[in-house]
Amino acid sequence: MLRRLALRSTTVAAPAIRSLDKILVPGRGEGSLLANPRSQTFLRSFIDLHQLGNKESIEKERARLSDELSRGYFADISEIHKNGGKVALANKTIIPSLAAVKFPDLEVNFADGRSFKLPISSGQSGTDTSEIPIPYASLLCLSFRASSQTMAESWSIPFLDAFSALGRIQIYEVSFIDSWLLSLSPVRNLFLKMMRKSNNAQRQIVYAFGDHYHFRKKLQILNLLTGYIFLLDRFGRIRWQGFGSATQEELSSLMSCTSLLLDEK
């Protein structure tokens, strides 16, 4: 039942999108794109709107609804058709430390139920990550839909092959679960037990539950069908960014920038 809920939700728990033109509807085969994966976000926001108690909060929520509805699933699909997930060009050189911005805090869960906050950086204090070694370079691969999981792996696997032997690097493949039902504690715990686990400590597969609208706004993430890749330094600052599936040229720039970060230690 939980697997079906995962497939029906807007999550990346299992491959829900078979192609850019059709989606897989559990128990009914392929269906049209009328099954809009943003509908749950709209419904949750609509319910929240009627629970808010002041005008300022209501206005903020209305602005959010307008923002979310101004760009729907069809816009995402159209953009992916045009650029194959490359919503922007990857950095060719490392972002200077003085110009780099900190990656926003994000609470994630391991498949065993443990939770912690990303990024793991030397700037943290008094958190549940105090016993986790601070990596000199971290690769964060964000997937908001099942269609972008393979995109994330096109970056993470070569990255791991190139730098795992050097130590103090870390990969986090983050799957976002925005179903309100799957975010409830009892259901979430059962859901996590069924999710895939990593057998490599340097490559962790983690899950972020709940509403991620404000997190996405901070990173200017619009298209939820592509992957977003961030290279962070030991202070949790974004020093490089890529999108979609990796090309050989982009992998070369990622490897070069990572080597520079490791030299900064």
Side-chain angles (χ1 to χ4, degrees), residues 22-143:
K22 293 181 181 296
I23 62 172
L24 182 64
V25 180
R28 294 190 296 176
E30 288 185 343
S32 71
L33 290 173
L34 292 178
N36 190 331
R38 291 181 186 254
S39 59
Q40 273 198 347
T41 301
F42 171 79
L43 178 59
R44 179 179 57 245
S45 299
F46 184 80
I47 294 173
D48 290 344
L49 180 62
H50 289 75
Q51 294 176 344
L52 298 173
N54 60 74
K55 290 184 178 181
E56 181 180 359
S57 296
I58 290 176
E59 289 304 318
K60 287 182 179 179
E61 193 66 16
R62 282 176 176 167
R64 168 184 172 152
L65 288 175
S66 176
D67 184 28
E68 290 278 56
L69 293 177
S70 66
R71 181 184 175 89
Y73 189 60
F74 292 105
D76 287 356
I77 283 287
S78 177
E79 187 173 58
I80 293 294
H81 269 304
K82 292 178 181 178
N83 57 38
K86 295 294 182 183
V87 295
L89 296 176
N91 294 111
K92 292 186 177 181
T93 59
I94 195 168
I95 299 172
S97 59
L98 293 179
V101 298
K102 187 176 181 298
F103 190 86
D105 290 341
L106 177 66
E107 184 172 347
V108 296
N109 292 84
F110 287 109
D112 62 9
R114 288 180 296 141
S115 65
F116 65 100
K117 284 186 178 181
L118 292 175
I120 308 298
S121 69
S122 57
Q124 290 179 336
S125 61
T127 69
D128 53 2
T129 60
S130 57
E131 296 182 0
I132 300 178
I134 306 298
Y136 291 118
S138 301
L139 191 70
L140 271 60
C141 307
L142 310 185
S143 296

